[in-house]
Amino acid sequence: MTAQLISVDAHLETILSALSPLPALDLGLLDAHGCMLAEDVTAPFPMPPFDNSAMDGYAVRGSDVAGASEASPVRLPVVGDVAAGSTTPYTVQPGLCVRIMTGAPVPPGADAVIPVEWTDGGVAQVEIRRAPAPGQHIRRAGEDVAAGAMLVASGSYLGTTQIGVLAAAARDRVRARPRPRVVIMSTGSELVEPGAPLGAGQIPDSNSYLLTTAVREAGAIAYRVGIVPDDPRQFLDTLEDQLIRADIVVSSGGVSVGAYDVVKEVLARTGTVRFDRVAMQPGMPQGFGHVGPDATPFFGLPGNPVSAYVSFEVFVRPALRRLLGAEPVHRPQVRAALVGEIRKAAGRRQFARGRLSVREGSYVVEVVGGSGSHLVAGLAQANCFIVVPESVTEVSDGAPVTVMVLERRHT
Ligand code: AMP
Ligand code: MG
């Protein structure tokens, strides 16, 4: 009955080796936010595209104002205005100037821009009190990047700044790997929707909320199906209905050895989903495999909320990152000094909920909440998992431990 334990690393390897990045699609620029770029994007034109003014001021011929100073200002007639976006075909003739705004094209003839602060701000005639250096305050065409130069390389993460640069290069669509679509199901006849009244023996379905937000934070699209009762027919029907929109299915509950553990009961029969005991605490029972006509990857996570979350972080999040084409697939790890003690049995890797902070310039971490996988209250305080290796049974106060960081905010 008790199958052999498999290691966390072996289970992870089974999962990651079964997955590869989703094929790239042509995506609208905003839809590509958070995705990985799948083409090299080069500048389609010089950037900036034309010589333009870096200041609000006056476009002049440098030779006309070479001697300008506070003591002997130069006065020039202003022949007109060039605003940003202007197409008025001015040419700056010797002895004249044009009022110009930031971003406006520098008219032919002009070879410098005098900032308005160096002048009296005149409209018909301007008094200029300083001489410019040649080319001063002109942003030259192509000085940022030449046409054809690399802007954002294939494989780059498309964050806000990359999206901004692509738009600056006039791209409205790009080839990028789409976000994986993740269907999330909660199994359990004891579950009710949060907000609905609780009857005897019932608890709110928290897992589908936790997993939905975890999926979103991992950069994927979550479809929360919600509650499926412990009934084989209903579970299978729901799964079949949902496969159409799933790149991956994540269910929780029903994977251990109880009489109504319906996920295991139904999917173990297919032969394409394995149910293993993984040497970890929490999260020992794990289901992984493929379901349906397209062999959609399926995760059957244990139902206890802490187990479900640890399983997500250890197995599902790396899988989602692999589908996204993102590297590294794993959460960052740091070493921290343990505050307090940890005791555990040998043979399983423990993921203890922890609170990581910086004390006098060094990381320290303390355990929050108990080790029971139903104890959810501590979860909301945790910002990391303290990873205690299989062979270790005791960690003493102050000893260094490995910490898997779950969020950027440490304190
Ligand atoms: P199971 O894995 O189905 O045996 O469930 C293990 C424990 O987790 C049971 O106490 C369940 O009531 C609880 N549980 C299962 N699914 C959920 C869920 N979606 N939300 C909250 N608790 C759950
Ligand atoms: Mg159950």
Side-chain angles (χ1 to χ4, degrees):
M1 173 94 185
T2 41
Q4 214 193 330
L5 285 180
I6 63 168
S7 75
V8 172
D9 294 335
H11 191 57
L12 193 55
E13 179 53 30
T14 303
I15 292 164
L16 291 180
S17 61
L19 300 170
S20 40
L22 294 177
L25 297 177
D26 178 53
L27 295 178
L29 192 56
L30 287 180
D31 293 331
H33 179 211
C35 298
M36 309 302 288
L37 187 63
E39 60 170 322
D40 283 336
V41 176
T42 55
F45 43 73
M47 293 167 70
F50 50 88
D51 288 0
N52 68 93
S53 178
M55 300 292 248
D56 294 326
Y58 298 84
V60 299
R61 290 175 170 261
S63 52
D64 287 341
V65 290
S69 68
E70 287 287 344
S72 60
V74 170
R75 286 188 189 79
L76 296 178
V78 180
V79 296
D81 274 1
V82 208
S86 163
T87 53
T88 319
Y90 285 115
T91 298
V92 176
Q93 304 291 351
L96 303 176
C97 72
V98 160
R99 196 158 74 123
I100 193 166
M101 309 306 151
T102 304
V106 174
D111 55 17
V113 170
I114 310 285
V116 68
E117 293 83 357
W118 298 5
T119 74
D120 65 354
V123 177
Q125 176 175 280
V126 63
E127 184 176 284
I128 294 168
R129 297 168 185 146
R130 262 173 84 174
Q136 193 162 15
H137 302 310
I138 295 178
R139 307 192 285 212
R140 293 293 175 194
E143 77 175 21
D144 188 2
V145 265
M150 180 67 75
L151 269 188
V152 190
S154 182
S156 298
Y157 172 76
L158 295 176
T160 54
T161 52
Q162 292 75 23
I163 295 287
V165 168
L166 291 170
R171 292 297 295 261
D172 63 338
R173 310 190 68 80
V174 287
R175 276 189 74 72
R177 301 191 184 283
R179 298 165 181 279
R181 298 160 306 155
V182 185
V183 161
I184 294 150
M185 302 162 55
S186 286
T187 70
S189 296
E190 74 281 29
L191 303 175
V192 293
E193 272 294 323
L198 284 180
Q202 295 184 322
I203 57 167
D205 162 27
S206 59
N207 287 353
S208 70
Y209 283 85
L210 183 150
L211 293 170
T212 294
T213 48
V215 162
R216 286 184 188 162
E217 283 185 14
I221 296 169
Y223 296 121
R224 194 183 72 87
V225 173
I227 302 160
V228 186
D230 290 317
D231 171 73
R233 194 68 257 159
Q234 285 195 53
F235 174 72
L236 255 187
D237 286 350
T238 309
L239 184 59
E240 276 168 16
D241 283 353
Q242 293 296 327
L243 282 177
I244 184 82
R245 60 173 178 172
D247 292 311
I248 189 164
V249 177
V250 178
S251 82
S252 70
V255 296
S256 46
V257 293
Y260 300 98
D261 280 333
V262 103
V263 176
K264 185 170 177 179
E265 188 184 317
V266 167
L267 293 182
R269 272 193 242 129
T270 64
T272 58
V273 180
R274 279 183 52 167
F275 291 86
D276 287 303
R277 296 172 72 239
V278 178
M280 63 195 284
Q281 199 285 316
M284 186 177 67
Q286 294 288 337
F288 176 74
H290 296 86
V291 291
D294 299 326
T296 306
F298 174 91
F299 284 89
L301 308 183
N304 272 310
V306 181
S307 312
Y309 181 51
V310 170
S311 308
F312 178 88
E313 286 293 341
V314 176
F315 300 121
V316 184
R317 191 175 182 281
L320 296 180
R321 306 245 328 143
R322 172 60 48 85
L323 293 179
L324 278 161
E327 290 288 342
V329 298
H330 296 295
R331 289 280 201 189
Q333 296 196 337
V334 297
R335 298 280 281 172
L338 182 67
V339 178
E341 299 188 333
I342 294 178
R343 277 168 211 285
K344 72 182 243 313
R348 295 215 252 156
R349 189 179 301 179
Q350 189 175 45
F351 295 89
R353 280 139 274 170
R355 180 132 202 100
L356 180 68
S357 58
V358 176
R359 210 177 276 172
E360 288 163 15
S362 304
Y363 282 127
V364 295
V365 67
E366 58 192 313
V367 176
V368 289
S371 62
S373 29
H374 60 296
L375 301 173
V376 288
L379 209 48
Q381 259 77 57
N383 62 2
C384 67
F385 291 136
I386 303 166
V387 186
V388 190
E390 291 78 348
S391 59
V392 173
T393 56
E394 219 180 303
V395 187
S396 50
D397 186 37
V401 284
T402 297
V403 165
M404 181 173 159
V405 183
L406 300 174
E407 52 178 72
R408 290 267 158 245
R409 191 165 48 85
H410 291 165
T411 47

PDB file of all heavy atoms in Angstrom, residues 21 196 260 331 372:
ATOM      1  N   PRO A  21       8.651  25.405 -23.637  1.00  0.00           N
ATOM      2  CA  PRO A  21       7.987  26.709 -23.792  1.00  0.00           C
ATOM      3  C   PRO A  21       6.874  26.656 -24.840  1.00  0.00           C
ATOM      4  O   PRO A  21       7.003  25.965 -25.855  1.00  0.00           O
ATOM      5  CB  PRO A  21       9.118  27.629 -24.235  1.00  0.00           C
ATOM      6  CG  PRO A  21      10.357  26.987 -23.701  1.00  0.00           C
ATOM      7  CD  PRO A  21      10.115  25.504 -23.764  1.00  0.00           C
ATOM      8  N   ALA A 196     -20.628  32.313   0.883  1.00  0.00           N
ATOM      9  CA  ALA A 196     -21.861  31.536   1.077  1.00  0.00           C
ATOM     10  C   ALA A 196     -21.914  31.056   2.523  1.00  0.00           C
ATOM     11  O   ALA A 196     -20.865  30.862   3.155  1.00  0.00           O
ATOM     12  CB  ALA A 196     -21.878  30.362   0.116  1.00  0.00           C
ATOM     13  N   TYR A 260     -12.770   8.719  -0.578  1.00  0.00           N
ATOM     14  CA  TYR A 260     -13.401   9.600  -1.575  1.00  0.00           C
ATOM     15  C   TYR A 260     -12.370  10.478  -2.275  1.00  0.00           C
ATOM     16  O   TYR A 260     -12.672  11.578  -2.696  1.00  0.00           O
ATOM     17  CB  TYR A 260     -14.487  10.448  -0.898  1.00  0.00           C
ATOM     18  CG  TYR A 260     -15.559   9.586  -0.284  1.00  0.00           C
ATOM     19  CD1 TYR A 260     -15.543   9.289   1.072  1.00  0.00           C
ATOM     20  CD2 TYR A 260     -16.561   9.029  -1.077  1.00  0.00           C
ATOM     21  CE1 TYR A 260     -16.503   8.463   1.638  1.00  0.00           C
ATOM     22  CE2 TYR A 260     -17.533   8.192  -0.528  1.00  0.00           C
ATOM     23  CZ  TYR A 260     -17.494   7.911   0.831  1.00  0.00           C
ATOM     24  OH  TYR A 260     -18.438   7.089   1.358  1.00  0.00           O
ATOM     25  N   ARG A 331      12.463  30.058  -7.772  1.00  0.00           N
ATOM     26  CA  ARG A 331      12.490  31.228  -6.906  1.00  0.00           C
ATOM     27  C   ARG A 331      13.928  31.473  -6.456  1.00  0.00           C
ATOM     28  O   ARG A 331      14.705  30.522  -6.286  1.00  0.00           O
ATOM     29  CB  ARG A 331      11.669  30.956  -5.643  1.00  0.00           C
ATOM     30  CG  ARG A 331      10.172  30.888  -5.881  1.00  0.00           C
ATOM     31  CD  ARG A 331       9.593  32.257  -5.964  1.00  0.00           C
ATOM     32  NE  ARG A 331       8.159  32.275  -5.705  1.00  0.00           N
ATOM     33  CZ  ARG A 331       7.413  33.372  -5.900  1.00  0.00           C
ATOM     34  NH1 ARG A 331       7.959  34.487  -6.339  1.00  0.00           N
ATOM     35  NH2 ARG A 331       6.115  33.339  -5.650  1.00  0.00           N
ATOM     36  N   GLY A 372       1.722  21.955  10.933  1.00  0.00           N
ATOM     37  CA  GLY A 372       0.542  21.269  10.382  1.00  0.00           C
ATOM     38  C   GLY A 372       0.128  21.911   9.073  1.00  0.00           C
ATOM     39  O   GLY A 372       0.111  23.129   8.953  1.00  0.00           O
TER      40      GLY A 372
END
